[in-house]
Amino acid sequence: MPRRGLIARREVQVDPLYNSALVTKFINSMMYGGKRATSQGIMYDALSVVQQKTQDDPLKIFKKAVDNVKPTLEVKSRRVGGSNYQVPIEVNTNRRTSLALRWLIGYARSRTARTMVQKLAGEILDAATLRGGAGKQHDDTHKLA
C-alpha cells in the first residue's frame, strides 16, 4: 500500500457485444497468456448456450449469477496476544466482484464437461439458481464468517 494517497483504479472498457464492463472483467480474468480472442469466444459462446437453454437475456442471467456468488463477509487472521483469531470483516465492493468472477472461473474449469463453453455455461446457470461450486464457496465463506 502506498504511503501517499490512494491509487486511482483503472476502469475497463465495455465489451463490444453486450456493452457491459462486467463481461469484460470476466473475459480478462479468464484469459490465459494474453489470448483475449479465445477468451472472448468462450464467453460469448457460453452466453449463447445460456440463452438457448433459458430463452431469456443471457446478460441478465450472468449478472444474477455473479450477484448470487458475491460474498459480503470474509474472515481474516488477526494476531492478538500469542494466538491467531479469525475475525469476520466486510468485503470491499471491488474485491467482491473479483472474488465472484474468480470463483465462477475456477469452478467452471474444474467441471467435468467436454468443452470450456459447456463448463462455463453450466456454472453460470447453476450460480444463477444458487447451486454449483461457486455458490457452495459463497455459502462456506459466509458460514466461516
Side-chain angles (χ1 to χ4, degrees):
M1 291 181 68
R3 292 176 189 264
R4 296 184 193 185
L6 291 172
I7 298 174
R9 290 187 62 86
R10 279 184 276 175
E11 291 299 318
V12 295
Q13 296 178 347
V14 295
D15 75 298
L17 199 61
Y18 290 99
N19 232 10
S20 168
L22 185 65
V23 173
T24 305
K25 284 183 184 180
F26 192 84
I27 288 169
N28 288 345
S29 53
M30 189 170 53
M31 186 168 43
Y32 269 141
K35 304 234 178 225
R36 178 184 299 276
T38 306
S39 182
Q40 269 181 338
I42 290 169
M43 180 62 180
Y44 294 152
D45 291 347
L47 288 178
S48 67
V49 168
V50 167
Q51 185 177 18
Q52 289 170 1
K53 286 187 178 179
T54 61
Q55 304 299 324
D56 201 6
D57 181 27
L59 187 62
K60 189 176 82 176
I61 292 172
F62 176 66
K63 284 183 180 177
K64 184 179 177 189
V66 171
D67 286 340
N68 285 346
V69 175
K70 281 183 186 178
T72 53
L73 292 172
E74 68 178 348
V75 292
K76 276 201 169 174
S77 290
R78 289 280 173 251
R79 187 164 178 88
V80 178
S83 58
N84 290 327
Y85 292 105
Q86 298 286 332
V87 178
I89 59 166
E90 243 182 274
V91 185
N92 185 1
T93 55
N94 292 325
R95 182 165 164 77
R96 272 184 202 180
T97 55
S98 65
L99 278 174
L101 298 181
R102 210 179 308 157
W103 291 344
L104 278 171
I105 292 166
Y107 284 103
R109 283 184 178 143
S110 65
R111 278 178 163 247
T112 57
R114 287 229 172 222
T115 63
M116 184 60 189
V117 173
Q118 293 169 341
K119 292 177 184 183
L120 187 59
E123 190 64 36
I124 288 171
L125 286 171
D126 282 351
T129 58
L130 295 169
R131 293 187 318 228
K136 187 176 182 309
Q137 176 78 36
H138 170 264
D139 293 340
D140 291 346
T141 304
H142 279 259
K143 281 179 189 171
L144 270 177

